[in-house]
Amino acid sequence: MKKFGFVALSGALLLGGEAFAAPGLTVSGTDLMYNGKKIFFSGTNLAWSDYNSDVGDSPLNENAWRKAVEGTRAAGGNAIRWWLFNNMSQSPTIDQSTHLVSGPKENTIANMKKALDIAEEYGVMVSMCLFSHNLMEPNQWGLYSEKLDITANEKLFEDEGTSAFITNVLVPVVKAIGNHNALMTWEVFNEPEGMTSVGWTTKKLDKAVLQKFTNKIAAAIHTTNPELLVSTGSVNIQYQSWWNDSELIAAGGEANGTLDFFQTHYYPYYQNDAVSPFVNTAAQMATKYGYDSKPMIIGEFPASGWKGDTYTTSMAAKTQISTEECYRKAFDGGYAGALAWQYIGDKTESNFGGYSYTIDPALDAMKALAATEEASIKIKDVAISQESGDGKMSVTYGGDNAQIEYQKTWDLSKASTFTFEATNKGESDAQLHLIFKLTDAWTWTPVNDDDGACVVPAGESVTCSYDISSFTDRNKTLSVVVANYAAGYTGTILYDNFKAGDQVLWDFNEDKYDAFSRGFENTEEMIPEIKIVFGDPSGICMRPQVAGAKALRVSGNMLSLSMGRTQGVTAELFDVTGHKVVTLHKGTLSAGTHQFKMNAAKGMYLVKVKGQGINLTQKVMVK
C-alpha cells in the first residue's frame, strides 16, 4: 500500500469539523483511498494552457491554470490532469551535440510547484503527465519555425537517453516536488499505444520498448520516493494488460517499476461499446481484458458526451450517453474517477467528432454528481468568489520589450482595423505595437513599425487603432501579441475592448481569468503580473475630486449616481470619440442615489458629471 501525505484543514469531510493531519492517498485493491475512506476523482483535463510550454522557459500562465482548477472545484470536482513535457519540443533542455536530455528548463520546477500550490488551495489533486504519443511525430512544431528534435526523442527510449532523462530531469523534479499535498500521481504517458504498430504516429516503437521505459521511469520515481503513486494513460482499455506488473518487470527488470493504478481513455468516434467503461463495469473490463486488479480512472472522455445533439454519424451503433450519465456510470461502475477532455473550450476538431464543444456540460455533470456523492469527492471546503462587471486587463511591466499574447484561432478576414483601449498608469509614455501570428506556419507579422506605434502618454487613455487590411492571410490568425517597446517603461497599463472591426474579441467583463499571457521567454521580472480587475476598489477608474458626487455605478443600461449633498448637476453620455450621445440629467439633485437610463447601444462610453466643485469623467459599459 502506497501512501501520499496530505494535510487537510477542513474536517467537514470526515471528522465533523475538527482539523487533523490526513494519512493521505492510498491504494487498496481496486479502490483509491483518501484519509482511510474511498475517494472518487471527479474532474477535468486542462492538458495545457500553452501547448508544450507550461513548464518550459516562461513562467506559468497562472490565469489559465487557476481558471481550470477553480472551475473544476466550483463544479464540485477534485482532480485535474496536466501535461508536462509532452513531445519535448520546448522542455526539458536537450544537448544539441549529443541529443540527450541535460536538465529541466529554467521555470520547470517553479511552474510545477506554483500549479500544485494553486490546486491545493482549492482541494484539487493533479495527475502530472510526463510525455505524450506526440514524441513520435517529427513534423510537429517546436519553437515557431523549428521542428522538434526527433533524434533526441528517439534516444529517449535508448538506455543512454533514458538514463540521462532520469538522472538530469526526473529525479531532481521528483525530489523538488516531493509529497506535495496536491500531487495525485506521476503519469508516465498519454496514450503510449499510439506510438506502436496499433497506433497512428509517423514513427513507431515496439511495445517492449515502451514497457521497458515505463518500468525504468516508475522504478526511478519509487526509488526516489517510495510513497509516490505512478500511473499511465492508456488509449484503450483493451491494451491495459500491456501495463501489468509482470509485463513491465519482464521488459525492464526493475521490481519496483510498476504502476500503482491505471488510467484509460474512451472516445466513441473511434471505440465501440465493447471497450467502453461507460457500458461495462470496472470488474467486467478487468476480467475481459486480463489486466491487474488495480484502481482504474477514466482519464479522458468527451466533455460533451454523445447523446442527442452531440451524437454524430461517426458514433453509429454506439450507446448514446450524456455527460451526466458518464460521471454517474463511472461512479456506479466501480471506477476510481472520471476526467473529461478538456478545459479549453469552444473548439471544433473533426477528429473529435466534428462539432463544437466546451467544458460546460462536464462541469454541469460534475455538479450533479457532487450533489449526491460529495462525501466521496470533496477534499476540503473552499469559498470561491464570483466577480463580473466593468472589467479591464491590468498588465504590470517591469522591463523592456515586454509582450503579452493570446493564442486562439480566429478568422479576421472581414476586419480592416484592430483596436483596443489602453490607460497608462505609469510615469512615462508607453509605445504599443500590435503583432499577429498568422497561418499554420506560425508567421510573425508586425502590423506597424516604430513610426506607427500607438503611443499612450503617462496618465492618459488612448484608443489604439491599427490598419490590418493588407494582410490577406488573416483568415487564420493564430495569436495576437501586444508589445510595449518603450525603453525603460515600468508601470501598469489597463487594457479594454479589443476589437477586430466591429467584432469584440475581449471586453474582460465576464471572466476574471480570461486574460492574455506573457509572451514567449518573457520573465516575471519583465511582466510581474497580468490580471483582470473589476470596478473601482484599486483606483482603476477616475474618482470624484470632491465629496459632492460620491460614486457612479452601472448595471445593464442603468446609471446610478450617488450625491453627498443637494446641488445642480449636469450628467452627459459621450462615445469614445468624444461625441455627445445624450444628456442624462441637467438640474438639481438631492443627496442620495439617483438612477438614469442610458438610451444607447451596447458598448463603452464616457459619463461626464459637472456641478459646483464636481468635474467627474468615468468610463461605463452599456449592456
Side-chain angles (χ1 to χ4, degrees):
M1 180 177 290
K2 296 201 174 289
K3 182 173 65 175
F4 171 36
F6 196 107
V7 177
L9 298 180
S10 169
L13 181 59
L14 296 175
L15 297 182
E18 181 181 348
F20 58 94
L25 184 67
T26 60
V27 174
S28 178
T30 58
D31 295 328
L32 288 170
M33 311 293 288
Y34 179 66
N35 294 345
K37 185 175 180 179
K38 182 178 176 180
I39 189 170
F40 181 84
F41 282 112
S42 174
T44 63
N45 282 259
L46 173 69
W48 59 83
S49 58
D50 187 3
Y51 187 65
N52 288 322
S53 302
D54 285 355
V55 295
D57 284 321
S58 299
L60 180 73
N61 184 344
E62 185 174 336
N63 284 306
W65 178 253
R66 191 175 288 274
K67 177 179 180 177
V69 172
E70 183 178 296
T72 297
R73 179 62 185 86
N78 62 359
I80 196 163
R81 183 167 173 262
W82 185 34
W83 295 12
L84 304 174
F85 303 126
N86 192 10
N87 65 5
M88 296 209 306
S89 66
Q90 296 189 34
S91 183
T93 300
I94 297 172
D95 186 302
Q96 295 303 303
S97 59
T98 65
H99 299 280
L100 297 176
V101 171
S102 58
K105 287 289 183 74
E106 179 181 356
N107 283 291
T108 294
I109 291 173
N111 286 4
M112 290 181 183
K113 285 183 174 179
K114 180 176 283 189
L116 290 168
D117 288 346
I118 292 170
E120 183 184 0
E121 289 179 33
Y122 293 95
V124 170
M125 289 189 185
V126 185
S127 182
M128 305 274 278
C129 184
L130 295 172
F131 299 109
S132 177
H133 57 78
N134 308 76
L135 285 162
M136 290 296 107
E137 294 288 6
N139 290 323
Q140 282 206 347
W141 294 102
L143 300 180
Y144 305 118
S145 61
E146 301 173 1
K147 299 292 179 68
L148 59 81
D149 186 346
I150 191 63
T151 301
N153 292 8
E154 292 172 332
K155 281 196 170 186
L156 178 69
F157 296 102
E158 300 171 2
D159 288 346
E160 184 182 20
T162 302
S163 178
F165 173 74
I166 290 173
T167 301
N168 298 330
V169 175
L170 183 64
V171 171
V173 165
V174 170
K175 286 182 176 179
I177 300 303
N179 292 66
H180 195 287
N181 292 349
L183 177 61
M184 179 204 300
T185 181
W186 290 104
E187 185 181 342
V188 182
F189 280 120
N190 169 66
E191 302 183 353
E193 299 90 350
M195 293 181 280
T196 71
S197 59
V198 302
W200 55 87
T201 60
T202 303
K203 288 182 173 289
K204 300 291 195 297
L205 299 171
D206 289 339
K207 175 179 73 172
V209 170
L210 292 175
Q211 290 173 323
K212 178 180 179 180
F213 182 82
T214 301
N215 174 257
K216 297 294 185 181
I217 296 301
I221 294 171
H222 287 149
T223 300
T224 304
N225 188 337
E227 295 186 324
L228 300 180
L229 304 183
V230 183
S231 65
T232 206
S234 177
V235 69
N236 190 316
I237 208 163
Q238 66 180 308
Y239 306 122
Q240 198 62 58
S241 62
W242 292 14
W243 315 110
N244 282 350
D245 292 356
S246 59
E247 293 266 348
L248 296 181
I249 294 171
E254 304 289 348
N256 65 341
T258 58
L259 304 179
D260 299 291
F261 66 92
F262 297 137
Q263 299 189 54
T264 191
H265 302 168
Y266 179 75
Y267 289 98
Y269 335 117
Y270 309 124
Q271 299 160 335
N272 58 33
D273 279 357
V275 295
S276 171
F278 304 105
V279 174
N280 307 278
T281 67
Q284 289 170 334
M285 288 298 209
T287 299
K288 183 174 183 178
Y289 293 109
Y291 55 82
D292 289 344
S293 181
K294 296 183 180 184
M296 173 68 78
I297 288 177
I298 306 170
E300 286 186 23
F301 64 94
S304 58
W306 49 102
K307 188 174 187 177
D309 292 343
T310 58
Y311 188 81
T312 69
T313 55
S314 66
M315 306 171 196
K318 290 140 191 182
T319 301
Q320 294 193 46
I321 300 175
S322 69
T323 314
E324 184 171 334
E325 289 171 329
C326 285
Y327 283 93
R328 171 50 65 183
K329 287 178 180 291
F331 186 90
D332 293 340
Y335 294 93
L339 312 178
W341 181 273
Q342 71 163 330
Y343 213 94
I344 302 173
D346 296 321
K347 299 170 74 74
T348 303
E349 300 183 32
S350 58
N351 61 330
F352 277 80
Y355 55 84
S356 300
Y357 71 91
T358 71
I359 193 64
D360 294 340
L363 299 180
D364 291 340
M366 290 162 60
K367 291 176 184 176
L369 185 67
T372 58
E373 311 298 345
E374 184 180 70
S376 298
I377 300 171
K378 185 174 70 174
I379 290 173
K380 70 177 183 180
D381 291 318
V382 177
I384 298 176
S385 64
Q386 301 295 326
E387 299 178 62
S388 62
D390 183 13
K392 295 176 177 60
M393 180 173 64
S394 174
V395 181
T396 302
Y397 295 88
D400 290 353
N401 300 321
Q403 299 180 357
I404 57 173
E405 179 178 8
Y406 197 106
Q407 293 187 6
K408 184 179 176 181
T409 302
W410 297 274
D411 181 355
L412 303 184
S413 59
K414 295 180 180 179
S416 59
T417 60
F418 193 99
T419 62
F420 58 82
E421 299 163 18
T423 300
N424 184 357
K425 310 293 280 188
E427 297 183 355
S428 61
D429 295 353
Q431 187 182 79
L432 304 180
H433 297 250
L434 181 66
I435 302 170
F436 286 153
K437 275 190 276 183
L438 302 173
T439 77
D440 289 326
W442 295 90
T443 304
W444 286 69
T445 307
V447 172
N448 59 320
D449 55 24
D450 289 344
D451 294 334
C454 179
V455 176
V456 186
E460 295 188 17
S461 296
V462 172
T463 298
C464 295
S465 181
Y466 308 86
D467 182 356
I468 63 173
S469 60
S470 62
F471 299 103
T472 56
D473 55 353
R474 66 189 185 279
N475 63 304
K476 197 165 188 180
T477 304
L478 300 181
S479 78
V480 173
V481 177
V482 177
N484 185 6
Y485 289 154
Y489 179 87
T490 59
T492 298
I493 296 177
L494 302 176
Y495 293 92
D496 205 358
N497 296 317
F498 282 76
K499 295 181 180 180
D502 294 331
Q503 179 186 1
V504 178
L505 302 180
W506 305 280
D507 62 13
F508 309 113
N509 293 338
E510 303 297 330
D511 189 330
K512 62 182 177 180
Y513 295 128
D514 191 19
F516 282 52
S517 60
R518 296 177 182 88
F520 177 67
E521 292 188 336
N522 274 213
T523 65
E524 288 184 285
E525 289 73 25
M526 296 171 69
I527 301 182
E529 184 176 55
I530 302 174
K531 64 180 180 180
I532 307 298
V533 292
F534 295 94
D536 195 21
S538 58
I540 300 163
C541 300
M542 299 177 66
R543 296 178 180 273
Q545 301 301 307
V546 296
K550 288 186 176 179
L552 290 173
R553 295 288 185 268
V554 174
S555 176
N557 67 344
M558 297 301 295
L559 173 74
S560 296
L561 174 62
S562 297
M563 299 295 299
R565 62 173 183 265
T566 300
Q567 68 175 96
V569 170
T570 299
E572 298 172 310
L573 188 70
F574 294 79
D575 65 21
V576 292
T577 68
H579 174 73
K580 186 169 75 173
V581 177
V582 65
T583 298
L584 301 173
H585 178 80
K586 186 174 183 179
T588 301
L589 287 177
S590 60
T593 300
H594 305 268
Q595 289 193 326
F596 306 97
K597 186 175 182 179
M598 295 181 289
N599 293 314
K602 293 180 180 180
M604 180 63 68
Y605 296 85
L606 297 176
V607 170
K608 295 185 179 182
V609 180
K610 295 183 179 181
Q612 185 178 1
I614 301 173
N615 188 4
L616 169 65
T617 301
Q618 183 171 311
K619 286 183 181 179
V620 297
M621 174 64 72
V622 177
K623 295 183 179 180

